[in-house]
Amino acid sequence: MNDPLDTAAGALATVRALCGDGRADAVAPGDLVRLNEAFGILRRAVDAAYLPVAAEIARQSRAELGKDSLARKNGFRTPAAMISTVTGTSTAEALRAITIGESTAPRVALTGEQRPAKHPHVAEALRASLIGTLAAGAIVGLLDRVDVRADAADLDAMEQRLVEAAPGLPLDQLQKLLLRAEAHLDPDGVQPRDDERRSKRALSIHQDRHGMFVFSGRLDPETAAPVTCAIEGIVTGMMRRRDDAIAAGGVGQGEPSTADDRRSVAQMRADALADICRHAIGCTDVPTAPTTTVVVRMTLDQLESGVGAVTIDGSAAPVSAATARRMAADAQIIPCVLGGDSEILDWGRAKRLFTPAQKLAVGERDGGCSSCGLPPHLTVVHHIAWWKRDHGTTDLSNAILLCTTCHHRIHDDGWEIRIDGTGIAAKVWFIPPPWLDAAQSPRLGGRARFDLAA
């Protein structure tokens, strides 16, 4: 495997070749993509090369060394202060570099025996410049947090799986995987975490000096599920009506959602909350989309026993099966109960266009937008083979969940979509156009890409 400094040197040569005069505005669009990738590799490689340095600075600045501490001899109170001051980073970034450096460096036993790094898979991914320090720090933090409660073999397997999934994922998507990985590694801790989060729920309302009311709150997943689902469902309806009005070249139905509507999404959310509250006091109806639902998915065994961790649409953090069973008793909640072979046993209570039931089924396979991972309520079911042009059928094998942005991008840029397998265990693959990837290497999408439980 290449040394990080060798990788950095190669990436730097690419950067200089593509942008030698330092002017990014003079770079051709195709080269700009390569330049961005080269800078990404360069940054990850430089960070990886520095981690052992940070760990060694910390080792030579141990508190027990007193005045002989490397940091103190150089005028700094702590190694983190020395690193952050010299490198121009924050103390938190310096502490992260030290932690990752110590976790990914080879160890020496008391007997002098050389031992592998505490987190060898993370170390290997860093040396290969596949992940950066933010992703590495998040993975290391999770593994260390559950270390005393999880089996060593399970920890090693999960570390490898997370490292394989992390490249190319934005940090917020990686955090979702980490929450579900924690539930898998420490199932006994799910219920206590539920209880702890629920005890911290709070909402404060006050009026500031400008006369504006300020809402500040934190909600646990169970409390937040109907709140976020209702608000986002109303906002989605507003945006669709506005888009329809713009496409029609005129004014849409209803005062708040016309073609000249200039509200931001944040403003729409505020108006949606007001609509819900007006409805609650009996003033007007709430303009929710008819397909708005909260889906709680669990296995038949979890439904019967109340044991284990399950997932809720709109929440990255898994909740206990006991919490899910309580939620499933609500008439506004749809439980999705799966059998041993992942077949759907029950959808709860609740032809060109896909039906709401079909969207729910596709959502179990795709988990949200198959391309970018947005939650299901921000997506629409689209035909893979177009209904009119390609005579595509309106069934699950020809369906995919996409947000509006990804739908336009995939069609406009010439991407192809392939589904391997059947049912909710099928995998979605996006095949880039030749101008973007000459080899047209398939890229994994859907729940298999964004959801650890897939």
Side-chain angles (χ1 to χ4, degrees), residues 40-88:
I41 295 172
L42 178 61
R43 180 171 182 172
R44 293 192 295 271
V46 170
D47 287 347
Y50 183 71
L51 293 176
V53 178
E56 185 60 20
I57 290 174
R59 191 187 71 81
Q60 294 190 27
S61 303
R62 304 186 307 279
E64 60 265 27
L65 294 178
K67 64 180 181 179
D68 292 325
S69 159
L70 180 65
R72 293 186 61 179
K73 286 196 292 186
N74 283 272
F76 299 98
R77 187 170 59 88
T78 64
M82 177 178 175
I83 291 171
S84 62
T85 301
V86 173
T87 61

Side-chain angles (χ1 to χ4, degrees), residues 144-169:
D144 288 347
R145 190 162 58 248
V146 300
D147 180 75
V148 297
R149 299 185 298 277
D151 178 77
D154 290 342
L155 278 171
D156 183 75
M158 183 60 72
E159 179 186 346
Q160 184 174 7
R161 188 172 180 185
L162 291 171
V163 163
E164 291 172 351
L169 277 186

Side-chain angles (χ1 to χ4, degrees), residues 159-427:
E159 179 186 346
Q160 184 174 7
R161 188 172 180 185
L162 291 171
V163 163
E164 291 172 351
L169 277 186
L171 193 61
D172 58 341
Q173 290 287 355
L174 177 61
Q175 291 291 358
K176 293 179 181 180
L177 294 188
L178 296 180
L179 286 169
R180 296 180 182 185
E182 184 171 11
H184 175 78
L185 292 170
D186 182 24
D188 292 338
V190 176
Q191 182 66 56
R193 283 192 292 272
D194 276 359
D195 296 338
E196 180 183 4
R197 284 192 290 247
R198 183 167 175 77
S199 70
K200 292 180 178 178
R201 73 192 188 283
L203 177 66
S204 63
I205 306 173
H206 73 273
Q207 192 171 16
D208 65 17
R209 62 188 181 90
H210 302 292
M212 299 292 289
F213 282 84
V214 180
F215 291 68
S216 177
R218 303 174 69 198
L219 302 180
D220 60 289
E222 181 181 359
T223 306
V227 176
T228 57
C229 184
I231 290 177
E232 296 300 342
I234 294 173
V235 171
T236 299
M238 292 175 178
M239 296 181 70
R240 287 180 185 170
R241 289 190 294 274
R242 181 173 66 182
D243 291 344
D244 290 344
I246 293 173
V251 178
Q253 297 295 320
E255 286 299 322
S257 298
T258 59
D260 59 353
D261 189 352
R262 295 292 182 266
R263 289 176 297 173
S264 66
V265 172
Q267 290 171 326
M268 287 182 177
R269 288 191 180 119
D271 293 343
L273 178 60
D275 285 336
I276 293 170
C277 294
R278 288 190 192 98
H279 177 67
I281 59 176
C283 291
T284 63
D285 292 331
V286 181
T288 53
T291 57
T292 299
T293 57
V294 176
V295 177
V296 179
R297 55 186 58 81
M298 67 190 86
T299 66
L300 180 61
D301 179 66
Q302 290 170 332
L303 177 65
E304 294 173 343
S305 67
V307 177
V310 307
T311 60
I312 307 173
D313 270 359
S315 173
V319 301
S320 66
T323 298
R325 285 207 302 178
R326 183 169 62 250
M327 293 181 69
D330 189 329
Q332 304 304 314
I333 305 295
I334 290 186
C336 174
V337 183
L338 305 178
D341 296 326
S342 295
E343 77 278 16
I344 297 175
L345 300 180
D346 181 39
W347 265 122
R349 299 166 296 277
K351 199 49 213 178
R352 174 178 185 265
L353 299 178
F354 288 96
T355 66
Q358 284 177 310
K359 179 177 179 179
L360 289 171
V362 177
E364 288 308 298
R365 183 196 69 196
D366 295 354
C369 177
S370 288
S371 181
C372 69
L374 278 176
H377 62 267
L378 298 179
T379 66
V380 176
V381 188
H382 293 283
H383 292 78
I384 297 174
W386 291 8
W387 182 76
K388 185 173 183 180
R389 186 195 67 183
D390 302 324
H391 304 288
T393 56
T394 305
D395 55 40
L396 300 187
S397 62
N398 192 43
I400 188 168
L401 277 189
L402 293 170
C403 67
T404 300
T405 300
C406 290
H407 180 226
H408 285 299
R409 177 178 57 80
I410 287 169
H411 280 310
D412 293 346
D413 293 348
W415 289 70
E416 296 180 12
I417 302 171
R418 189 179 77 217
I419 308 293
D420 286 348
T422 58
I424 64 173
K427 290 187 176 180

